[in-house]
Amino acid sequence: MIPTTGSYHLINVRLHASLSPGLAATFNRDGFALADITVDDGKISSIAAHAASRVPAGAIDLGGRIVLPCFVDCHTHIDKGHIWPRKPNPDGTFIGALNATGADRVARWSADDVARRMDFSLRSAYAHGTRALRTHIDSVAPQEEISWPVFETMREAWRGRIELQGACLLGIEGVRDKKWFDRLAKRVAAAKGVLGVVTYMVPDLEELLDHVFAQAIKHGLDLDFHADETDDVAAISLKKIAEAALWNGFEGKILVGHCCSLARQPDLEVLDTLDKVAKAGLAIVSLPMCNLYLQDRRSDSTTPRWRGVTLLHEMRARGIPVAVASDNTRDPFYAYGDLDMLEVYRMATRILHFDHPVADWPQAVTATPAKVMRLDGFGALAAGGAADFVLFKGRSWTELLSRPESDRIVVRAGRAIDRQLPDYAELDGLMVE
């Protein structure tokens, strides 16, 4: 369908208003309009409302199929991906995941092991249509000395295909060793990464957050937190992060993931937290698939009673940037997944009700994470922008989100890519004890 050389015209395609800035067209109640796209020299030279009376010679008629910009996945863990076969979660709990991952990291995470699993993950994401991805990198000593060089090598190897970002990951208690943490912050800065920690309600949380912010300011780093991945109503570290951002006068980007406990808290606590989050300029990413898997898992084998996601609708109503992302893939934190952002959006629509109305929710896997990651020109389709998009068979949301769309066409720089997914058998040698 897509020519391998020269320019071409796609006509009668269905574009979404929230992802097509500047398109002057009549949009339906789900935000779609029919449009025509011209691609030339790897870029989109024009986008206009579909005109049946003006059909260029040789145009490719897509019959109203949906075209979306390539995805942006802002919260993943590809350094620990695909270890499930050799180290499964023993009981499906969060603590079970922590312990299993920690044991596997100590025993198995050599540079070769991490590199092979990361590359496998990136090939999967690329085949599904992801253009940019941020991964957290376990940075508990001495793993940071192994994984960060691997990340830098992988980023260079994938440059031009996936824009890869890295954020360090360690429990907030690790910041107590200030000399070590300061060295880590310097290492992250040298790798042009993002400074990140997991926050818990430890007694010295405010002091530790101050030090994290101080190092971010010193090195000019953005911040990325895991926060409140629990149903404990006393877990309010999201609020503490917002307060720390305000009193430190932090001007960089801050992304906070999970924030599950917020959905369990009293209304007054929620309102106070959201007001501070909005004032501090934080962005929030929910991880619907992983949190659905881990949260409210019960030792007595009874049915879970809540979904584990945070209050994205309330956040969006306050102007807080919100996103959803893949999170873990086939590791003790989530036994499934394939870094397919269409699957993430499909599940998020069902779990978080990204419909009635659809509004601008499609930005949660495209334009919004692109802004948080400082990626200009990503996550939208516009004249003059890169011809990086995904063609689907679905012509409406109900069609698009009802099937896996495994035969989608991913276009990068105007050309269809080879979408061959890597075979799990490639990793068999890493799974031998």
Side-chain angles (χ1 to χ4, degrees):
M1 179 184 295
I2 302 299
T4 57
T5 60
S7 62
Y8 58 88
H9 307 278
L10 302 177
I11 66 168
N12 202 18
V13 305
R14 208 172 296 274
L15 302 183
H16 198 264
S18 68
L19 306 179
S20 308
L23 175 59
T26 300
F27 295 91
N28 66 19
R29 64 180 182 181
D30 284 338
F32 283 119
L34 293 176
D36 300 334
I37 301 174
T38 300
V39 174
D40 189 19
D41 196 26
K43 293 186 177 295
I44 297 172
S45 58
S46 68
I47 296 181
H50 174 58
S53 60
R54 299 193 311 269
V55 178
I60 303 166
D61 190 339
L62 289 185
R65 294 181 182 183
I66 291 171
V67 174
L68 298 180
C70 285
F71 301 112
V72 179
D73 202 346
C74 65
H75 183 123
T76 71
H77 295 265
I78 65 173
D79 64 332
K80 61 170 61 81
H82 302 288
I83 65 173
W84 180 275
R86 73 189 189 201
K87 202 65 176 178
N89 188 322
D91 55 11
T93 65
F94 185 82
I95 295 301
L98 279 177
N99 293 338
T101 301
D104 191 73
R105 182 177 60 241
V106 171
R108 305 293 294 273
W109 290 22
S110 65
D112 179 66
D113 177 75
V114 173
R116 287 176 61 185
R117 291 185 291 99
M118 287 181 72
D119 184 69
F120 187 97
S121 296
L122 290 168
R123 282 187 285 151
S124 300
Y126 181 68
H128 289 309
T130 288
R131 186 183 174 197
L133 180 147
R134 177 181 290 180
T135 180
H136 296 274
I137 300 171
D138 279 24
S139 299
V140 177
Q143 190 63 44
E144 81 280 13
E145 298 178 4
I146 299 171
S147 293
W148 276 95
V150 171
F151 162 77
E152 290 173 297
T153 300
M154 202 64 59
R155 180 176 58 191
E156 289 305 311
W158 277 86
R159 193 174 297 280
R161 291 178 291 168
I162 290 182
E163 186 70 22
L164 184 60
Q165 293 185 357
C168 64
L169 184 69
L170 67 151
I172 189 73
E173 67 278 2
V175 182
R176 291 176 183 145
D177 187 344
K178 293 183 178 180
K179 289 184 178 180
W180 175 84
F181 182 75
D182 293 357
R183 288 196 301 271
L184 176 63
K186 185 177 180 180
R187 177 69 182 87
V188 172
K192 296 180 173 58
V194 177
L195 198 60
V197 297
V198 184
T199 54
Y200 308 104
M201 296 306 296
V202 294
D204 53 346
L205 176 58
E206 293 181 352
E207 175 188 342
L208 296 174
L209 283 172
D210 273 348
H211 192 71
V212 172
F213 275 89
Q215 286 299 303
I217 293 169
K218 177 181 178 179
H219 295 288
L221 298 173
D222 288 339
L223 288 165
D224 193 316
F225 294 93
H226 285 57
D228 306 327
E229 194 175 358
T230 174
D231 62 356
D232 183 1
V233 296
I236 57 169
S237 65
L238 173 60
K239 179 192 290 189
K240 296 296 183 181
I241 292 167
E243 291 172 346
L246 291 169
W247 69 54
N248 281 283
F250 189 72
E251 297 180 354
K253 299 278 190 181
I254 304 174
L255 180 62
V256 187
H258 299 289
C259 311
C260 306
S261 64
L262 188 68
R264 310 280 285 175
Q265 292 167 359
D267 287 347
L268 289 179
E269 181 71 27
V270 168
L271 294 174
D272 184 43
T273 296
L274 294 184
D275 286 345
K276 290 176 178 176
V277 168
K279 185 176 181 181
L282 274 56
I284 306 297
V285 57
S286 182
L287 298 314
M289 297 194 302
C290 183
N291 285 139
L292 193 71
Y293 176 79
L294 283 178
Q295 296 300 308
D296 205 23
R297 188 175 291 272
R298 300 169 175 228
S299 59
D300 61 0
S301 298
T302 55
T303 305
R305 306 296 174 86
W306 74 301
R307 300 181 179 201
V309 291
T310 196
L311 304 182
L312 292 194
H313 287 267
E314 291 82 350
M315 292 173 179
R316 178 173 162 273
R318 279 175 169 72
I320 298 168
V322 294
V324 290
S326 292
D327 205 10
N328 299 73
T329 306
R330 296 184 68 242
D331 67 31
F333 288 89
Y334 184 57
Y336 316 107
D338 200 33
L339 294 169
D340 180 359
M341 287 297 283
L342 179 65
E343 180 191 18
V344 173
Y345 188 75
R346 180 191 304 116
M347 292 295 290
T349 297
R350 298 169 182 177
I351 297 167
L352 282 151
H353 292 169
F354 283 178
D355 50 18
H356 306 292
V358 173
D360 60 0
W361 283 116
Q363 292 185 350
V365 291
T366 50
T368 298
K371 291 177 183 177
V372 173
M373 293 170 64
R374 300 182 183 270
L375 299 173
D376 293 337
F378 285 59
L381 298 174
D388 293 333
F389 48 80
V390 188
L391 309 179
F392 299 98
K393 283 191 173 179
R395 299 163 299 171
S396 63
W397 288 123
T398 184
E399 288 185 4
L400 179 66
L401 301 181
S402 294
R403 290 180 175 172
E405 292 274 358
S406 55
D407 54 353
R408 71 193 75 168
I409 299 171
V410 176
V411 174
R412 300 298 306 274
R415 306 301 167 204
I417 68 167
D418 179 3
R419 290 198 57 248
Q420 184 69 38
L421 286 165
D423 192 323
Y424 291 129
E426 292 181 26
L427 300 175
D428 286 352
L430 299 179
M431 302 304 150
V432 179
E433 292 291 345

Short mmCIF file of all heavy atoms in Angstrom, two decimals, residues 82 85-86 108 110 112-113 116-117 120 423-433:
data_model
loop_
_atom_site.label_atom_id
_atom_site.label_comp_id
_atom_site.label_asym_id
_atom_site.label_seq_id
_atom_site.Cartn_x
_atom_site.Cartn_y
_atom_site.Cartn_z
N HIS A 82 10.93 -9.21 30.70
CA HIS A 82 11.05 -10.59 30.20
C HIS A 82 11.83 -11.53 31.13
O HIS A 82 12.31 -12.57 30.68
CB HIS A 82 11.66 -10.59 28.79
CG HIS A 82 10.87 -9.80 27.81
ND1 HIS A 82 9.65 -10.22 27.32
CD2 HIS A 82 11.09 -8.56 27.28
CE1 HIS A 82 9.17 -9.29 26.50
NE2 HIS A 82 10.02 -8.29 26.46
N PRO A 85 9.99 -15.81 33.00
CA PRO A 85 10.20 -17.27 32.90
C PRO A 85 11.21 -17.81 33.90
O PRO A 85 11.11 -18.97 34.31
CB PRO A 85 10.69 -17.45 31.46
CG PRO A 85 10.11 -16.29 30.72
CD PRO A 85 10.19 -15.15 31.69
N ARG A 86 12.19 -17.00 34.27
CA ARG A 86 13.20 -17.48 35.21
C ARG A 86 12.95 -16.99 36.64
O ARG A 86 13.52 -17.53 37.59
CB ARG A 86 14.59 -17.04 34.75
CG ARG A 86 14.90 -15.57 34.91
CD ARG A 86 16.19 -15.18 34.22
NE ARG A 86 16.60 -13.82 34.56
CZ ARG A 86 17.44 -13.10 33.82
NH1 ARG A 86 17.94 -13.61 32.70
NH2 ARG A 86 17.78 -11.88 34.20
N ARG A 108 21.55 -12.16 38.16
CA ARG A 108 21.58 -12.39 36.71
C ARG A 108 21.84 -11.15 35.85
O ARG A 108 22.11 -11.31 34.66
CB ARG A 108 20.25 -13.00 36.27
CG ARG A 108 19.85 -14.28 37.00
CD ARG A 108 20.76 -15.44 36.70
NE ARG A 108 20.68 -15.85 35.31
CZ ARG A 108 19.78 -16.74 34.85
NH1 ARG A 108 18.89 -17.29 35.69
NH2 ARG A 108 19.76 -17.08 33.58
N SER A 110 23.80 -9.11 34.27
CA SER A 110 25.05 -8.70 33.65
C SER A 110 24.75 -7.72 32.53
O SER A 110 23.60 -7.54 32.12
CB SER A 110 25.78 -9.92 33.08
OG SER A 110 25.02 -10.48 32.02
N ASP A 112 25.41 -8.07 29.38
CA ASP A 112 24.86 -8.81 28.24
C ASP A 112 23.40 -9.16 28.46
O ASP A 112 22.57 -9.04 27.55
CB ASP A 112 25.67 -10.08 28.00
CG ASP A 112 25.12 -10.90 26.83
OD1 ASP A 112 25.19 -10.41 25.70
OD2 ASP A 112 24.60 -12.01 27.08
N ASP A 113 23.07 -9.60 29.67
CA ASP A 113 21.69 -9.96 29.98
C ASP A 113 20.76 -8.76 29.83
O ASP A 113 19.71 -8.85 29.18
CB ASP A 113 21.62 -10.51 31.41
CG ASP A 113 20.21 -10.84 31.84
OD1 ASP A 113 19.67 -11.86 31.38
OD2 ASP A 113 19.63 -10.07 32.64
N ARG A 116 20.45 -7.60 26.01
CA ARG A 116 19.64 -8.46 25.14
C ARG A 116 18.15 -8.29 25.43
O ARG A 116 17.32 -8.26 24.51
CB ARG A 116 20.06 -9.91 25.30
CG ARG A 116 21.41 -10.23 24.66
CD ARG A 116 21.86 -11.63 24.91
NE ARG A 116 20.92 -12.63 24.37
CZ ARG A 116 21.05 -13.93 24.56
NH1 ARG A 116 22.06 -14.41 25.27
NH2 ARG A 116 20.17 -14.78 24.03
N ARG A 117 17.79 -8.17 26.70
CA ARG A 117 16.38 -8.00 27.04
C ARG A 117 15.88 -6.62 26.66
O ARG A 117 14.74 -6.45 26.21
CB ARG A 117 16.16 -8.30 28.53
CG ARG A 117 16.36 -9.77 28.87
CD ARG A 117 16.02 -10.09 30.31
NE ARG A 117 16.96 -9.53 31.28
CZ ARG A 117 16.78 -8.41 31.97
NH1 ARG A 117 15.64 -7.70 31.80
NH2 ARG A 117 17.69 -7.98 32.83
N PHE A 120 15.33 -6.59 22.84
CA PHE A 120 14.12 -7.34 22.54
C PHE A 120 12.89 -6.46 22.79
O PHE A 120 11.96 -6.41 21.97
CB PHE A 120 14.06 -8.59 23.41
CG PHE A 120 12.94 -9.54 23.07
CD1 PHE A 120 13.17 -10.64 22.26
CD2 PHE A 120 11.66 -9.35 23.59
CE1 PHE A 120 12.14 -11.53 21.95
CE2 PHE A 120 10.63 -10.23 23.29
CZ PHE A 120 10.87 -11.31 22.46
N ASP A 423 10.99 -13.12 18.32
CA ASP A 423 10.51 -14.40 18.82
C ASP A 423 10.99 -14.60 20.26
O ASP A 423 12.17 -14.42 20.56
CB ASP A 423 11.06 -15.52 17.93
CG ASP A 423 10.39 -16.86 18.18
OD1 ASP A 423 10.07 -17.17 19.36
OD2 ASP A 423 10.22 -17.63 17.21
N TYR A 424 10.08 -14.98 21.15
CA TYR A 424 10.47 -15.22 22.54
C TYR A 424 11.60 -16.25 22.65
O TYR A 424 12.38 -16.23 23.61
CB TYR A 424 9.27 -15.71 23.36
CG TYR A 424 8.21 -14.66 23.58
CD1 TYR A 424 6.87 -14.93 23.29
CD2 TYR A 424 8.53 -13.41 24.09
CE1 TYR A 424 5.88 -13.97 23.49
CE2 TYR A 424 7.55 -12.45 24.31
CZ TYR A 424 6.23 -12.74 24.00
OH TYR A 424 5.26 -11.79 24.21
N ALA A 425 11.71 -17.14 21.67
CA ALA A 425 12.75 -18.16 21.70
C ALA A 425 14.15 -17.54 21.71
O ALA A 425 15.11 -18.18 22.16
CB ALA A 425 12.60 -19.11 20.52
N GLU A 426 14.27 -16.30 21.23
CA GLU A 426 15.57 -15.62 21.25
C GLU A 426 16.11 -15.48 22.67
O GLU A 426 17.33 -15.39 22.88
CB GLU A 426 15.45 -14.23 20.64
CG GLU A 426 15.16 -14.21 19.16
CD GLU A 426 15.08 -12.79 18.64
OE1 GLU A 426 15.71 -11.89 19.25
OE2 GLU A 426 14.40 -12.56 17.62
N LEU A 427 15.22 -15.43 23.64
CA LEU A 427 15.62 -15.21 25.03
C LEU A 427 15.83 -16.50 25.81
O LEU A 427 16.18 -16.45 27.00
CB LEU A 427 14.57 -14.35 25.75
CG LEU A 427 14.31 -12.95 25.15
CD1 LEU A 427 13.17 -12.28 25.90
CD2 LEU A 427 15.56 -12.11 25.21
N ASP A 428 15.62 -17.64 25.17
CA ASP A 428 15.69 -18.91 25.90
C ASP A 428 17.02 -19.10 26.60
O ASP A 428 17.07 -19.62 27.72
CB ASP A 428 15.43 -20.09 24.93
CG ASP A 428 13.96 -20.20 24.53
OD1 ASP A 428 13.13 -19.47 25.10
OD2 ASP A 428 13.66 -21.02 23.65
N GLY A 429 18.11 -18.68 25.95
CA GLY A 429 19.42 -18.87 26.57
C GLY A 429 19.60 -18.07 27.85
O GLY A 429 20.44 -18.45 28.70
N LEU A 430 18.83 -17.00 28.02
CA LEU A 430 18.91 -16.20 29.24
C LEU A 430 18.09 -16.80 30.38
O LEU A 430 18.20 -16.35 31.52
CB LEU A 430 18.43 -14.77 28.97
CG LEU A 430 19.20 -13.97 27.93
CD1 LEU A 430 18.57 -12.59 27.79
CD2 LEU A 430 20.67 -13.83 28.31
N MET A 431 17.23 -17.76 30.06
CA MET A 431 16.32 -18.29 31.06
C MET A 431 16.87 -19.57 31.72
O MET A 431 16.26 -20.08 32.65
CB MET A 431 14.96 -18.60 30.42
CG MET A 431 14.34 -17.39 29.77
SD MET A 431 14.17 -15.99 30.92
CE MET A 431 14.31 -14.61 29.80
N VAL A 432 18.03 -20.05 31.26
CA VAL A 432 18.61 -21.27 31.82
C VAL A 432 19.28 -20.95 33.14
O VAL A 432 20.10 -20.04 33.24
CB VAL A 432 19.63 -21.88 30.84
CG1 VAL A 432 20.26 -23.13 31.43
CG2 VAL A 432 18.95 -22.21 29.51
N GLU A 433 18.92 -21.69 34.16
CA GLU A 433 19.54 -21.46 35.48
C GLU A 433 20.99 -21.92 35.47
O GLU A 433 21.34 -22.89 34.84
CB GLU A 433 18.76 -22.25 36.56
CG GLU A 433 17.36 -21.70 36.80
CD GLU A 433 17.34 -20.33 37.46
OE1 GLU A 433 18.40 -19.94 37.99
OE2 GLU A 433 16.29 -19.68 37.44
#
